[in-house]
Amino acid sequence: MRSTQQYLLAHGIKPSVQRIAIMEFLFKHQTHPTVDEIYTELLPHIPTLSKTTVYNTLKLFVQQGTATQIDIDEKNARFDSIMEAHGHFRCKKCGCIMDIPLPELHDLLPQNTDFSIDEAYVNVKGLCAACKSGQTS
């Protein structure tokens, strides 16, 4: 796999210590983190990091196609580095967010449509297996 620096350059993003760290965090943590979660985790390693830098970097990543913003959580924007088509499930009890596979987009559309689709989002909510079985509090 290419380095994070090469990955960012390939997407028109000038690599910096902060940008590389944030992208690597997204690659490593498939938990759909918030700006605050990323900031809190990276601050001990990058003492000069600001929350504004994290926010602006994520905004740049979304614009350049290296991350997506997920709006499944009513309180916080969350971010994902997986760019292949997939949906998201959010547990209403514990708040976990998980990726869910999707059928091909053309299988979801009515027949004989003349749509030109640029983006599609599928977010579902319910109870995860652990909460459903009463294993979490």
Side-chain angles (χ1 to χ4, degrees):
M1 183 173 158
R2 298 185 302 176
S3 73
T4 304
Q5 182 175 358
Q6 291 171 322
Y7 180 76
L8 292 175
L9 285 169
H11 286 86
I13 300 171
K14 182 180 176 185
S16 67
V17 171
Q18 294 89 348
R19 289 175 178 174
I20 290 169
I22 293 167
M23 192 77 246
E24 287 178 350
F25 186 89
L26 288 175
F27 286 150
K28 186 177 179 184
H29 299 89
Q30 299 292 311
T31 57
H32 312 90
T34 65
V35 169
D36 287 337
E37 290 168 348
I38 296 168
Y39 172 74
T40 301
E41 287 291 322
L42 293 180
L43 187 60
H45 308 287
I46 308 172
T48 59
L49 185 67
S50 71
K51 199 177 287 188
T52 301
T53 297
V54 175
Y55 174 80
N56 288 337
T57 298
L58 291 167
K59 183 177 176 182
L60 175 65
F61 288 174
V62 170
Q63 289 171 343
Q64 296 301 112
T66 61
T68 55
Q69 180 174 324
I70 303 165
D71 296 318
I72 195 170
D73 180 345
E74 297 81 15
K75 297 177 185 174
N76 297 294
R78 294 180 169 272
F79 296 88
D80 192 354
S81 65
I82 298 175
M83 299 307 292
E84 292 80 24
H86 65 283
H88 295 97
F89 170 86
R90 180 169 184 264
C91 180
K92 289 177 143 184
K93 185 172 181 183
C94 71
C96 71
I97 298 174
M98 297 177 262
D99 293 333
I100 54 174
L102 292 178
E104 293 296 321
L105 189 57
H106 61 79
D107 293 338
L108 297 175
L109 297 175
Q111 296 296 319
N112 303 318
T113 59
D114 190 24
F115 294 144
S116 175
I117 298 174
D118 295 323
E119 298 178 35
Y121 305 97
V122 175
N123 294 327
V124 294
K125 298 178 184 179
L127 293 178
C128 68
C131 288
K132 188 176 174 183
S133 68
Q135 295 175 2
T136 63
S137 53

